Amino acid sequence: MNSILSGLLKKRGPIRRIGVVGMGYVGIPSAVLFADLPGIEKVYGFQRASKTSGYKIEMLNCGESPLKGEEPGLEELIGKVVEAGKFACTSDFSKIGECDAVTLAIQTPFRNPKDLEPDFTALFEGLRLVGKNMEQGTLVVLESTITPGTTSGIAREILEKESGMIAGEDFALAHAPERVMVGRLIRNIQEHDRIVGGIDETSTTRATELYSPLLTKGKIIPMTATAAEVTKTAENTFRDLQIAAVNELALYCEAMGINVYDVREGIASLKEEGVTRAILWPGAGVGGHCLTKDTYHLERGVKVLGGPLDYPEGKDSLFVLARNINDFMPKHIFNLTIAGLERAGKTVEGANIALLGWAFTTNSADARNTPSELYRNRMREAKAIVKVHDPWITEYPGVEIEKDLAVVLEGADAIAIFTGHSEYYDLDPVFLKMLMQEKHPVIVDGRNVVDADLFIRNGFVYKGIGRGDKNLHPLQ
Ligand code: SAJ
């Protein structure tokens, strides 16, 4: 334990005043959960009064949530802590000087994953503001997903430069990655185990003191800051890898003329104590802001910041290959659509395509990095006319999204289902055929939502991910 820092923390006493930098889907729930703790006097939510996000300050101080979508318990909690005077949102970063602990929940997206170069602009800005305003004995915690090596590297350097202090002596520094999922923010923070990684033991201990009171079910898992960064990026890398594995299996099953869902059921049946296959679901691709970038954070950590790596000669990273397979799936849907149109005696040029589902995940309005966009771009390059339907999304930059399914289906030559929204599960082939006015309309099922035999019996040309048993069916 570092004696200088321990002495400073002891003098400061228990954490009572907290600052949270970044009023987003991670910062807001954690700020109000901290504020609701009995031992906490005050929590400041720090938000720059920028054109794009400054509106959040007033909304939050009026007890309203600026987050989209349903977040059970969040708005009531914001109102409660604002009313109690225990939470306030502000753009006055000097108040960081009043805080015993400051957390930063600022994302680091990739400008271009291929060159493994994250965009640290916002994070650096936040770190500079914290460094400039914090006092001795403050605990600083980075919560957003970052490249392994960032906390004890560039983040430490900026904080030390701006504050003139030394990390591990004058202030504590840690990484405690967020593991929240949209729609369950409050519950996730309270119930998930919390990885807490300090640059030294004293920092880990202080960060444990900060997060323990938040946990209702979860427990603290202490480790080093870099191990915490690897844990977070790797937990999503592994999910992406699992999805890629079943996507590759689906492509194999198509080539071998079998049904991947039969195989999946068979594989999933092998389970007993300590034995599992955790096989996921093949699909039209992987979207979202977690799985599409965290692999590249991990790769950057080991490739750019790590030491010499012993790895099979000339072989690509398994994890990056998994990313490539998942990013290939929208192209596979494109290829299935072309094959379907050919079966129906059509070419893609001038074809009317009904793209069903713009959100990246089921029954959600979240379209970040949606695989549908890759498909739409590819179809437009091939001079097809694409109409997009999504019951959950009203707008998306540069894309017209139709809420009325009939409008999108009218006169369409082919349908491509990209998102497993509930309302696509009861598509009626007779109604669709009447709208599409085609003898053999094409349907490409990217999420296994329709009954292949039912559509084939009604004269559709059916193509489905992993449906090698049906994709070459005779026309009826
Ligand atoms: N997907 C598949 N097959 C599957 C599962 C997902 O193709 O079997 C696709 C989805 O359609 C989507 C993408 O992958 O396009 C991502 O889906 P996701 O369920 O992983 O959703 P995310 O991106 O919101 O992932 C988040 C992550 N949570 C955090 O980073 C805190 C991830 O770690 C969680 O495992 C995931 O939520 C979850 O389980 O809900």
Side-chain angles (χ1 to χ4, degrees):
M1 300 284 260
N2 181 301
S3 57
I4 302 172
L5 182 55
S6 304
L8 283 170
L9 296 175
K10 208 167 169 173
K11 199 167 116 214
R12 187 178 272 270
I15 294 169
R16 290 193 186 81
R17 302 174 76 83
I18 300 169
V20 176
V21 178
M23 288 290 98
Y25 80 96
V26 176
I28 292 172
S30 61
V32 294
L33 281 168
F34 278 132
D36 197 35
L37 294 173
I40 299 300
E41 277 166 24
K42 184 80 176 188
V43 174
Y44 289 111
F46 292 100
Q47 175 60 53
R48 283 182 307 158
S50 65
K51 274 202 294 303
T52 49
S53 313
Y55 70 92
K56 297 179 185 176
I57 299 173
E58 190 176 337
M59 279 188 84
L60 285 163
N61 289 333
C62 293
E64 293 162 29
S65 166
L67 300 181
K68 290 198 202 92
E70 275 303 300
E71 286 301 339
L74 182 64
E75 193 133 82
E76 297 86 313
L77 190 52
I78 296 171
K80 176 185 173 192
V81 292
V82 167
E83 182 68 28
K86 292 189 76 183
F87 171 73
C89 186
T90 178
S91 57
D92 175 5
F93 282 78
S94 70
K95 292 190 181 316
I96 284 174
E98 298 171 25
C99 299
D100 301 313
V102 182
T103 66
L104 295 99
I106 299 172
Q107 284 297 356
T108 50
F110 275 89
R111 275 191 289 271
N112 167 6
K114 304 293 173 269
D115 60 25
L116 296 182
E117 197 53 55
D119 179 356
F120 282 118
T121 318
L123 179 65
F124 288 177
E125 168 68 10
L127 286 164
R128 270 194 291 276
L129 288 165
V130 172
K132 272 202 191 78
N133 293 287
M134 71 185 191
E135 297 294 337
Q136 254 197 335
T138 303
L139 163 68
V140 181
V141 186
L142 280 76
E143 288 199 354
S144 27
T145 305
I146 47 182
T147 304
T150 301
T151 304
S152 50
I154 188 72
R156 176 190 193 139
E157 287 157 25
I158 293 174
L159 289 166
E160 291 184 336
K161 178 167 171 286
E162 294 297 334
S163 65
M165 294 193 263
I166 297 172
E169 287 191 19
D170 301 305
F171 63 94
L173 177 58
H175 177 54
E178 53 86 4
R179 303 171 112 181
V180 294
M181 292 155 224
V182 171
R184 341 172 212 174
L185 300 177
I186 296 273
R187 186 154 59 85
N188 284 166
I189 292 174
Q190 293 177 317
E191 297 180 0
H192 279 165
D193 289 346
R194 191 78 194 231
I195 312 290
V196 172
I199 58 165
D200 54 30
E201 215 180 300
T202 309
S203 300
T204 304
T205 306
R206 189 66 166 175
T208 300
E209 189 190 322
L210 173 67
Y211 288 102
S212 296
L214 281 186
L215 305 183
T216 53
K217 269 203 198 138
K219 66 181 186 308
I220 296 286
I221 302 178
M223 55 183 78
T224 65
T226 305
E229 290 160 338
V230 174
T231 301
K232 173 61 195 178
T233 49
E235 71 187 16
N236 283 341
T237 299
F238 270 62
R239 183 168 172 83
D240 197 54
L241 181 62
Q242 287 174 307
I243 298 167
V246 70
N247 278 337
E248 180 159 340
L249 182 64
L251 298 174
Y252 284 14
C253 288
E254 284 182 39
M256 294 188 278
I258 53 174
N259 181 349
V260 72
Y261 298 96
D262 290 343
V263 173
R264 183 189 179 285
E265 188 183 352
I267 293 172
S269 71
L270 180 63
K271 44 177 179 277
E272 63 172 76
E273 189 54 35
V275 173
T276 170
R277 291 291 181 271
I279 184 165
L280 292 176
W281 297 91
V286 171
H289 59 292
C290 302
L291 276 59
T292 53
K293 72 174 173 42
D294 291 358
T295 296
Y296 297 116
H297 275 302
L298 182 61
E299 291 296 314
R300 175 176 162 75
V302 73
K303 296 257 181 349
V304 178
L305 306 176
L309 173 68
D310 189 16
Y311 196 76
E313 195 68 34
K315 294 293 177 201
D316 263 348
S317 148
L318 169 67
F319 301 144
V320 171
L321 178 57
R323 284 273 67 240
N324 297 341
I325 291 168
N326 289 335
D327 284 348
F328 170 73
M329 297 313 283
K331 175 77 175 21
H332 179 56
I333 300 280
F334 172 83
N335 295 339
L336 287 175
T337 311
I338 302 298
L341 287 168
E342 278 164 12
R343 281 297 303 279
K346 299 231 170 91
T347 59
V348 64
E349 190 164 348
N352 289 300
I353 309 293
L355 200 176
L356 271 50
W358 193 255
F360 84 83
T361 191
T362 303
N363 298 339
S364 156
D366 196 337
R368 282 172 284 193
N369 301 305
T370 177
S372 309
E373 190 153 31
L374 298 168
Y375 176 83
R376 177 176 176 269
N377 295 344
R378 192 80 189 73
M379 272 295 170
R380 285 156 63 96
E381 281 161 21
K383 298 195 177 23
I385 298 126
V386 183
K387 284 187 187 168
V388 177
H389 175 266
D390 194 298
W392 291 77
I393 297 180
T394 44
E395 59 190 11
Y396 187 90
V399 181
E400 200 181 314
I401 298 185
E402 178 57 54
K403 293 207 88 54
D404 181 344
L405 198 50
V407 168
V408 169
L409 291 171
E410 194 135 14
D413 299 296
I415 298 171
I417 301 175
F418 257 82
T419 316
H421 291 320
S422 305
E423 80 174 291
Y424 297 149
Y425 278 78
D426 46 22
L427 289 173
D428 168 8
V430 177
F431 174 64
L432 264 55
K433 202 169 173 189
M434 180 270 290
L435 281 171
M436 297 168 81
Q437 300 147 21
E438 288 292 334
K439 188 164 181 298
H440 296 298
V442 178
I443 185 159
V444 181
D445 187 355
R447 295 291 173 188
N448 192 34
V449 297
V450 301
D451 174 339
D453 293 325
L454 178 64
F455 276 76
I456 292 167
R457 277 201 305 279
N458 280 278
F460 275 74
V461 175
Y462 169 89
K463 300 283 182 191
I465 289 258
R467 295 306 303 271
D469 60 324
K470 297 290 176 192
N471 284 351
L472 298 176
H473 66 85
L475 287 187
Q476 291 188 20

